[in-house]
Amino acid sequence: MSKKVLFILGPNLNMVGHREKSFYGDETAETINECVKLWAEELGFELEIFQSNIEGEIISKIHSALGAKDGIIINAGAYTHYSYAIRDAIACVVNIPTIEVHMSNIHARDEFRHKTVIGAVCRGQISGFGKFSYRLALEALKDIFESEDEKP
């Protein structure tokens, strides 16, 4: 049975390819999402991609994963740095492995981007590899699922 993964993209990530090209490159969000879908398929995952610029919608989507998804990959965008509400939503579904992901290296950017409030409730964080950060997150989830399947 394939694992179900929720891929959440936060505010302004629908504008990748148009915004801050020095950090995000020229490739559009749509083409990146197509790559992510292909990678997920290669790994045997059912993938749902959800993007919202609205904090409450992201929180509701995280809540909806309970009992419905096996893993979450989240690029919360700017919410990463200050949304305790998204942090608490991830903590509510603590039994679902969640990986925080960023295309850019948040530690090499503005000082306010160095802090992540959601990281403490995520299984891990991947940043700085462009769209390949998402591939690494998918591969990390696969490893997590396989190690959980091996438990007696």
Side-chain angles (χ1 to χ4, degrees):
M1 181 151 108
S2 67
K3 298 289 188 177
K4 296 177 182 176
V5 175
L6 176 59
F7 179 43
I8 299 174
L9 297 161
N12 301 309
L13 290 167
N14 58 313
M15 298 303 292
V16 168
H18 305 284
R19 65 177 277 218
E20 299 174 291
K21 292 182 181 187
S22 62
F23 291 113
Y24 300 108
D26 292 328
E27 197 168 2
T28 66
E30 293 80 18
T31 59
I32 292 170
N33 288 349
E34 287 304 314
C35 286
V36 174
K37 287 177 191 173
L38 288 172
W39 295 331
E41 189 177 306
E42 287 171 10
L43 295 170
F45 295 153
E46 285 182 41
L47 184 74
E48 177 184 355
I49 298 175
F50 176 79
Q51 189 279 324
S52 180
N53 296 317
I54 302 169
E55 185 178 31
E57 289 180 359
I58 293 169
I59 292 164
S60 293
K61 195 64 172 176
I62 293 167
H63 291 172
S64 77
L66 195 59
K69 301 295 182 191
D70 300 297
I72 299 172
I73 295 170
I74 184 167
N75 182 343
Y79 290 137
T80 299
H81 315 294
Y82 67 89
S83 179
Y84 293 101
I86 290 175
R87 181 226 178 269
D88 290 348
I90 295 168
C92 287
V93 298
V94 70
N95 63 322
I96 302 173
T98 300
I99 299 176
E100 176 187 350
V101 181
H102 303 281
M103 291 178 62
S104 67
N105 179 351
I106 61 172
H107 304 287
R109 295 186 64 188
D110 311 291
E111 181 70 30
F112 75 90
R113 294 183 196 276
H114 298 185
K115 180 181 178 186
T116 167
V117 298
I118 68 172
V121 292
C122 291
R123 184 71 65 97
Q125 179 196 78
I126 299 168
S127 70
F129 297 98
K131 72 179 181 183
F132 297 105
S133 293
Y134 301 140
R135 169 111 192 165
L136 293 169
L138 288 165
E139 290 175 2
L141 275 181
K142 183 173 176 66
D143 289 345
I144 289 167
F145 296 148
E146 288 174 354
S147 69
E148 288 176 352
D149 289 344
E150 292 171 3
K151 289 182 182 175

